Amino acid sequence: MMHKILLIDDDIALTEMLEQYLVTEGFDVTVANDGQTGAQYVLAGQFDLTVLDVMMPKLNGIETLRIIRQASHIPVIMLTAKGDESERVMGLESGADDYVAKPCTPRELLARIRALLRRSKITKDGSQQALQIVIGGLTITPAQRRVEVAGKAINLTSTEFNLLEILAKNAGHVVCKEDLALQAMGRTLVRFDRSVDVHMSSIRQKIGTSSNGSDYIQTVYRMGYQLIRE
């Protein structure tokens, strides 16, 4: 199946180069050179993943992402300035699944795209359709990539769902951040990389607390995270 990728970036030369590269790798690519048009494409079209630049005139990438997240769970990779941690954190907090620092090589971006697509793919095995993970008031249905707390559906990004699913499958046990990044995002952590921490903070805010008032997810200092069994 040919995946449909949307590139949103005002750098015309860069998008032309990335488009040509991704097309040769078997992707169906659409380009938008401003945030407003890009958001309209996402909300109107059937794309599998979006690559979104942070720095754009008029409607920047963060604002565009917030519009997209109001109505779509599409996986999003942010293009951020190299070394600008504030951009990366802001992008992740706004709902991005991953980020790539510019300037980046097409090969690096391709690897991130493939990893995110692979981890956001919905399982179509009929034998797993009814499989659920239930921990207290938290219910996770992997085949549908659905999360409910006390019967209420919770909207998670693709990477957030992956992280929560990994913790749920290992409930009661600590999972180190390096393993979480590798399994949920398809990459290793680099020094000072806070991606997992930012995603975990967002998940906590969305799923709230258990029936006894404690957090579902516990931070284990210098080790990682674990989902607490009630």
Side-chain angles (χ1 to χ4, degrees):
M1 181 181 69
M2 182 177 290
H3 290 290
K4 298 181 67 175
I5 306 297
L6 175 64
L7 301 178
I8 308 176
D9 195 321
D10 66 318
D11 187 332
I12 296 177
L14 176 63
T15 54
E16 287 180 348
M17 182 265 290
L18 291 177
E19 179 182 13
Q20 292 175 7
Y21 182 82
L22 292 175
V23 167
T24 62
E25 292 294 329
F27 292 94
D28 180 355
V29 182
T30 299
V31 174
N33 293 123
D34 66 85
Q36 184 174 2
T37 302
Q40 291 173 348
Y41 280 177
V42 171
L43 301 182
Q46 297 295 319
F47 294 97
D48 297 300
L49 182 144
T50 296
V51 178
L52 174 62
D53 186 33
V54 172
M55 297 300 295
M56 292 187 292
K58 297 181 181 179
L59 196 65
N60 65 39
I62 301 300
E63 295 167 331
T64 303
L65 178 58
R66 287 171 180 162
I67 293 173
I68 291 172
R69 281 292 175 251
Q70 290 177 7
S72 175
H73 300 159
I74 186 174
V76 175
I77 296 176
M78 298 291 291
L79 297 179
T80 67
K82 188 173 183 178
D84 193 330
E85 182 181 3
S86 63
E87 279 191 1
R88 297 197 296 268
V89 172
M90 189 177 300
L92 294 172
E93 289 179 339
S94 298
D97 293 283
D98 201 358
Y99 68 86
V100 175
K102 295 173 68 176
C104 65
T105 64
R107 186 176 179 181
E108 178 185 5
L109 181 59
L110 174 65
R112 295 291 183 88
I113 289 173
R114 283 178 169 165
L116 188 50
L117 286 172
R118 186 165 58 247
R119 282 157 180 79
S120 63
K121 182 180 180 181
I122 298 177
T123 302
K124 297 185 183 298
D125 184 351
S127 65
Q128 298 183 13
Q129 288 296 320
L131 182 63
Q132 292 183 329
I133 305 171
V134 180
I135 301 172
L138 181 65
T139 302
I140 302 171
T141 309
Q144 299 175 4
R145 298 183 69 81
R146 180 179 177 85
V147 175
E148 295 180 343
V149 176
K152 180 181 179 181
I154 305 299
N155 294 325
L156 299 180
T157 68
S158 178
T159 296
E160 288 171 354
F161 180 89
N162 294 342
L163 288 166
L164 183 60
E165 181 185 13
I166 293 165
L167 290 180
K169 288 180 176 178
N170 295 275
H173 301 279
V174 179
V175 184
C176 70
K177 288 194 284 188
E178 288 74 15
D179 286 344
L180 287 168
L182 190 60
Q183 294 179 49
M185 304 167 66
R187 65 178 177 85
T188 57
L189 292 175
V190 297
R191 192 177 183 187
F192 305 124
D193 191 334
R194 296 179 54 206
S195 301
V196 171
D197 301 315
V198 176
H199 284 307
M200 286 298 177
S201 176
S202 177
I203 295 170
R204 278 178 167 141
Q205 292 179 13
K206 291 179 179 181
I207 66 176
T209 57
S210 63
S211 58
N212 62 17
S214 61
D215 288 335
Y216 281 104
I217 300 173
Q218 180 184 60
T219 303
V220 182
Y221 184 60
R222 290 187 176 178
M223 293 182 65
Y225 294 92
Q226 69 173 329
L227 192 65
I228 304 300
R229 290 188 177 276
E230 292 190 44

